Every structure is written in C-alpha cells, then in structure tokens.
Amino acid sequence: MTRKKVKLAFIVNDSARKATFKKRKKGLMKKVSELSTLCGIDACAIVYSPYDPQPEVWPSPMGVQRVLAKFRRMPELEQSKKMVNQESFLRQRILKAKDQLKKQRKDNREKEMTQLMFQYLSAGKIMHNISMVDLNDLAWLIDQNLKDINRRIEVLTKNAQSQTQVAAPAVTDVAAKIEDKGQGSHSGQGFDINMDLMQKQNWFMNLMNNGGGGNETMPFGDVNHQNGFWPNPFFH
Amino acid sequence: MTRKKVKLAFIVNDSARKATFKKRKKGLMKKVSELSTLCGIDACAIVYSPYDPQPEVWPSPMGVQRVLAKFRRMPELEQSKKMVNQESFLRQRILKAKDQLKKQRKDNREKEMTQLMFQYLSAGKIMHNISMVDLNDLAWLIDQNLKDINRRIEVLTKNAQSQTQVAAPAVTDVAAKIEDKGQGSHSGQGFDINMDLMQKQNWFMNLMNNGGGGNETMPFGDVNHQNGFWPNPFFH
DNA sequence: TATTCTATCTATAAACT
DNA sequence: TAGTTTATAGATAGAAT
C-alpha cells in the first residue's frame, strides 16, 4: 500500500474529502470526549459541514450552550490571551519540524562517522582524502565511545574487582589496531584511555597534516591546541 | 514498557492528569485544525482547564465568535437534530465493542478448528471425545479449505493445461491421509473433492457414531441428512 | 456511494532525564 | 515539575468489496 504522509491541504476530490471528513470528525469527537473525561474539564466542539445543515457538536446542545455562555462572559481582551490561533499554531509546527530536521541531520552525521570508524577498524589502514571536518567529527565519536567504555569498565570494576584486569586491556587493543597498522609499529604502547581530549584531537590533526606517508607521525604528540573546549561537532 | 490500554476515566493523580491534559489538548487542537483544512469546513473548539483562567480555543477568538453566531442563529429544535451527544456516542461505542467481540470469537473458533484439523492430519488417527458441535465446525472448515483448493486448481488449470495432472492429486492425497490412517485402508479411492456438503457432513456423523473401533466405517456413506442448508457454523 | 480492511502513520502512556 | 524518548495503542489513507 505504502500510504503517503498526508499533505495538509484541501482535498480536491469530492468523495475522498467526504470520506475523510466522516472519519476525522468521528475521531475528533472521540478525542474531545476523552479529553473531557480523562481530565475532568469543560470542553466543546462545533463542526459545520456541507453534508448536513445542522452542525455536529460535542457534548450536547446544552453542554455547548453552557461552555459558550462561560466564554462570552469573558471580556474580549481576556479571550485573546493564551489562545491558540492558526498563525501561532503553524509557527509552532514549523519550529518543531526544523528542530526535527536538525536532530535528524545530527543522527545521520553520527551514523556516517560510525561507518567511517568501522572502515578504519576493518581496513586496518589510513584512509586518504578525508576532510579535516570528517576527521574532527570522527575523533569526537571515537572519544565518546572510549568514554562509554571507560564508564563500563568502572561499573565492572566496582562489581567485581577481579574483572578489572580482563576488561581494561580489551579497550586498548581496539584502539591499538588503528595505531599499529596505520602508523607502523608503536605496538607496545597501546592507546591511553585516560589521555585528555586535546591530545586526541592533536593526534588526528597530525595524522592529517602528515599526508599519507605517516611513518614518522607520533600519534600522541603534544603540539599547540587553540582552546580547552571540544564541542559536540554534530550540532551543525 | 508494555503500555496499557488507557481506562477511560478521570485521572486521579494530579501531575499525571496535567501531563495528559497538555498532551491531549495539543493533539486535539491539531486535529481540529487538520479537519478544517483538509475538508474546508467551519469548526471550532473551546477548552477550559483549571490550569489557566482563559479557555483555549481554535481557530481564534474571532473564528470562534463567528461559528458561535452561526450556531446560535439556529432554532433550538434544529440544534438538537443530528447531534452527537454523550449518550448516543457511548451507545455507538458499546455496539462497536460488541461487534468486535463477536468477530473475535468467530476468529478464535476458526483458529481452534484449524488446530484440530492439523491434529487430525499429523496424528493420523481419529480423535475421540470430540463433540458433535466441534466436528460440525471442523467439517465446515475443511470444506472451506477444499473450496479454496479447488478455486486454486481452476486458476492453475486455466493458466497451464499441463499442470492439471499435478495439482489435482495433491488435494486428494491430503484428504486421503485422514481417511487411510483413521479408517483402515480405502487408500485407492482418495477424497472426492466434488462430493457434496451433505455427504461430508454424514461422513463426520458416521465417524462419530461408530465410536473408536472405526474399521468398518464407510467415510462416504449416504445416510439420512435433515436439511440441505449448511450454515457457517462460526456465526454463533 | 458506503462500508470494510489493513498497512502505515500519528498520538501518547510510561519511563527516563 | 517539565521536557525527551520509546514502544504501544489508536487513527486513518487508500484499496477492496
């Protein structure tokens, strides 16, 4: 079937519009009824249609009259406060859609970087033609993963002291794989999981600046870094 | 998580009620908005809550006033016609629930009989302590299956004349399995897929009446049958 | 045209932050 | 308490009857 997401616009086809009207009016009335019952509040709805001279109302003519009276009793100015009108309603929805787009982009970017990360891990060699921006994000992602692993290690360490010796080396092995194959052989050293963020950033920058030769690159160099803040790069 | 089906009743917990109110009011307003846009009709909603002295309305104070004026202009008697009030609304829902229950029971019964049918097929022997009612329904079910198979055969026969010889025996084999293992050996005969419904009913009745011995039971006997109508037994 | 069916979309209860 | 997330309940578009 592959039902499409409805375009929120007047339905031109007459019979389709009538069918939709019937279904949605019914759904709407049910919603009003539920809202009123669940939350114990006064509410009413009035719906006019070309299919019937009478409006359809909820909960009843009397109920509507009562709520209307309450509404009319209020000064005009008060009525306008806190109200949901069509314009502000649409603005809200647009804003929400934008937020969702932003979030989606962030998620996509994160997936992209994860894929890149696994390419590094499985290919076992340095990829060329990767932009500075990608490397930056990739570094951030790896850092996040290491943090997660460290948190996990802490938990395990607390739960069973004997497991510390098993869990910790597992982490350094994974990181070392990038380092060893890509850089030549610093194999004895492993990846310092406590190395600060700046150092890791620099490692990636050096990797980048030294092109593909890479044999003399020191992965854990100590060159200049601009500031002490490493923002989440996925918030573009 | 296993979210429960909401009981449609006043939410006693204050914070839960407020949270639900906010979510559902927003959802409701969206629904009114969509109904109005999609179907190009006049509609309004007014919601009072203890959380705000102002009512929340849709589409706007002016819009509400306009719809209200239209509503008030109508004679009282007219207003009451075709209206959805709480009572008729509930009656509708109860009726629908009853229909659904009925349908569910029918479905359950059909599944039960299907299971029974496969027990016959796989156990390869006659089950005892099966009620007349069950046998009746089972017979109906098997008959339905045979009809389906025959329809299928017809289609295949039309599509490729050569397939007739392959498809037709497959049917008789399945039916013969019940017959052979259960009854002794009438193996050469097979199951006459064109046998009329009455004959099948009688076959089951005979099966029933002859108890478990079953060696001398003629499955396709021709004894007395009360009427020529075999209703769908699942409509209890 | 109305009703029924069902795959899919949407609303939202409950858990989590 | 309010906002966010996630999985399920509910609504409904489009097709079939």
Side-chain angles (χ1 to χ4, degrees):
Chain A
M1 288 195 180
T2 60
R3 165 183 165 189
K4 322 156 194 139
K5 193 163 168 171
V6 282
K7 302 159 298 172
L8 207 60
F10 182 76
I11 299 166
V12 181
N13 180 296
D14 284 357
S15 57
R17 186 170 67 254
K18 185 170 184 183
T20 291
F21 174 76
K22 286 188 69 176
K23 281 190 274 192
R24 279 180 173 256
K25 179 179 59 59
K26 191 174 145 207
L28 178 65
M29 293 307 191
K30 187 178 173 192
K31 288 288 182 191
V32 190
S33 153
E34 290 179 351
L35 179 65
S36 180
T37 303
L38 289 169
C39 305
I41 50 105
D42 265 341
C44 71
I46 304 177
V47 175
Y48 277 92
S49 80
Y51 313 111
D52 233 301
Q54 335 301 339
E56 321 238 7
V57 306
W58 193 96
S60 66
M62 292 273 278
V64 171
Q65 298 287 8
R66 189 167 44 73
V67 178
L68 293 198
K70 198 169 169 181
F71 177 71
R72 295 230 173 207
R73 228 176 285 126
M74 188 161 289
E76 290 280 330
L77 206 64
E78 288 289 285
Q79 286 176 18
S80 310
K81 275 194 220 161
K82 286 275 185 184
M83 277 182 178
V84 184
N85 65 37
Q86 230 156 352
E87 191 188 332
S88 70
F89 190 79
L90 284 178
R91 284 195 192 290
Q92 258 177 262
R93 293 191 65 180
I94 290 167
L95 203 65
K96 193 185 170 187
K98 278 184 181 166
D99 278 353
Q100 284 174 335
L101 177 62
K102 199 169 152 189
K103 185 173 179 304
Q104 199 55 58
R105 279 186 173 146
K106 176 176 169 292
D107 287 355
N108 288 345
R109 179 73 181 157
E110 198 157 337
K111 286 202 173 67
E112 216 174 292
M113 288 302 109
T114 301
Q115 201 171 17
L116 198 61
M117 184 175 72
F118 280 107
Q119 274 176 22
Y120 268 108
L121 287 174
S122 60
K125 62 189 174 72
I126 296 297
M127 310 287 187
H128 305 302
N129 27 5
I130 292 186
S131 74
M132 195 61 231
V133 175
D134 281 1
L135 268 184
N136 213 39
D137 286 358
L138 181 58
W140 180 84
L141 180 66
I142 292 173
D143 183 63
Q144 289 306 109
N145 282 319
L146 285 176
K147 276 182 183 164
D148 285 347
I149 293 168
N150 284 331
R151 270 194 289 276
R152 182 69 186 147
I153 288 172
E154 269 177 45
V155 172
L156 288 173
T157 308
K158 273 174 196 156
N159 288 350
Q161 199 67 35
S162 62
Q163 290 184 17
T164 314
Q165 298 308 316
V166 182
V171 178
T172 58
D173 284 351
V174 174
K177 192 176 171 187
I178 308 176
E179 183 203 350
D180 292 348
K181 302 241 177 109
Q183 296 306 113
S185 43
H186 305 274
S187 21
Q189 184 174 2
F191 198 98
D192 179 6
I193 57 177
N194 293 314
M195 177 174 71
D196 78 34
L197 295 174
M198 283 312 100
Q199 287 177 300
K200 280 173 221 165
Q201 183 169 36
N202 282 323
W203 177 63
F204 276 98
M205 285 182 165
N206 287 337
L207 216 60
M208 196 63 193
N209 293 332
N210 279 284
N215 266 342
E216 56 286 300
T217 306
M218 263 305 285
F220 307 118
D222 194 24
V223 272
N224 61 311
H225 31 79
Q226 299 89 4
N227 59 63
F229 180 61
W230 185 301
N232 179 340
F234 296 119
F235 283 119
H236 288 313
Chain B
M1 287 193 180
T2 62
R3 166 180 164 190
K4 317 157 198 141
K5 194 165 165 164
V6 281
K7 302 158 296 173
L8 206 61
F10 182 76
I11 299 166
V12 181
N13 181 295
D14 283 358
S15 57
R17 186 170 68 254
K18 185 170 182 182
T20 292
F21 174 76
K22 286 187 67 176
K23 280 189 277 191
R24 280 181 173 255
K25 179 177 59 56
K26 191 174 145 206
L28 178 66
M29 293 308 191
K30 186 177 174 191
K31 288 288 181 192
V32 189
S33 153
E34 290 179 350
L35 179 65
S36 181
T37 303
L38 289 170
C39 305
I41 51 105
D42 264 341
C44 72
I46 304 176
V47 175
Y48 277 89
S49 80
Y51 313 112
D52 232 301
Q54 334 302 339
E56 320 239 8
V57 306
W58 194 96
S60 67
M62 292 272 277
V64 171
Q65 298 287 5
R66 190 167 43 73
V67 179
L68 293 199
K70 198 168 170 183
F71 178 71
R72 295 229 174 207
R73 228 176 284 126
M74 187 161 288
E76 290 280 330
L77 206 65
E78 289 289 286
Q79 287 176 18
S80 310
K81 275 195 221 161
K82 286 276 185 181
M83 278 182 176
V84 184
N85 65 36
Q86 232 155 351
E87 191 187 333
S88 70
F89 191 80
L90 284 177
R91 284 195 193 290
Q92 258 178 262
R93 293 192 65 179
I94 291 166
L95 203 65
K96 193 184 170 187
K98 278 184 179 165
D99 278 353
Q100 284 175 334
L101 177 63
K102 198 170 153 188
K103 185 172 179 306
Q104 198 56 60
R105 278 186 174 147
K106 176 178 169 291
D107 287 356
N108 287 346
R109 180 72 181 159
E110 198 157 333
K111 285 203 173 68
E112 215 174 291
M113 287 304 108
T114 301
Q115 200 170 17
L116 199 60
M117 183 173 74
F118 280 106
Q119 274 175 23
Y120 269 108
L121 287 173
S122 60
K125 63 188 173 73
I126 297 298
M127 310 287 187
H128 307 301
N129 26 0
I130 293 186
S131 74
M132 195 62 232
V133 175
D134 281 1
L135 269 184
N136 214 38
D137 287 357
L138 181 57
W140 179 84
L141 180 67
I142 291 174
D143 181 62
Q144 289 307 109
N145 282 318
L146 285 176
K147 276 182 185 165
D148 286 348
I149 292 169
N150 283 332
R151 271 192 290 275
R152 183 68 186 146
I153 288 173
E154 270 178 43
V155 171
L156 288 174
T157 308
K158 274 173 195 157
N159 287 350
Q161 199 68 33
S162 63
Q163 291 185 17
T164 314
Q165 298 308 316
V166 182
V171 178
T172 59
D173 284 351
V174 174
K177 192 176 173 186
I178 307 176
E179 182 204 350
D180 293 348
K181 303 247 178 102
Q183 297 305 115
S185 44
H186 306 273
S187 18
Q189 184 177 1
F191 198 99
D192 177 6
I193 55 177
N194 293 314
M195 175 177 73
D196 78 34
L197 295 173
M198 284 312 100
Q199 286 178 300
K200 280 174 218 164
Q201 183 170 35
N202 282 323
W203 176 62
F204 276 100
M205 285 181 167
N206 287 338
L207 217 60
M208 197 61 193
N209 293 331
N210 280 284
N215 266 343
E216 56 285 299
T217 308
M218 263 305 284
F220 306 118
D222 193 23
V223 271
N224 62 311
H225 30 80
Q226 299 89 4
N227 59 62
F229 179 61
W230 186 300
N232 178 342
F234 296 121
F235 284 118
H236 288 313

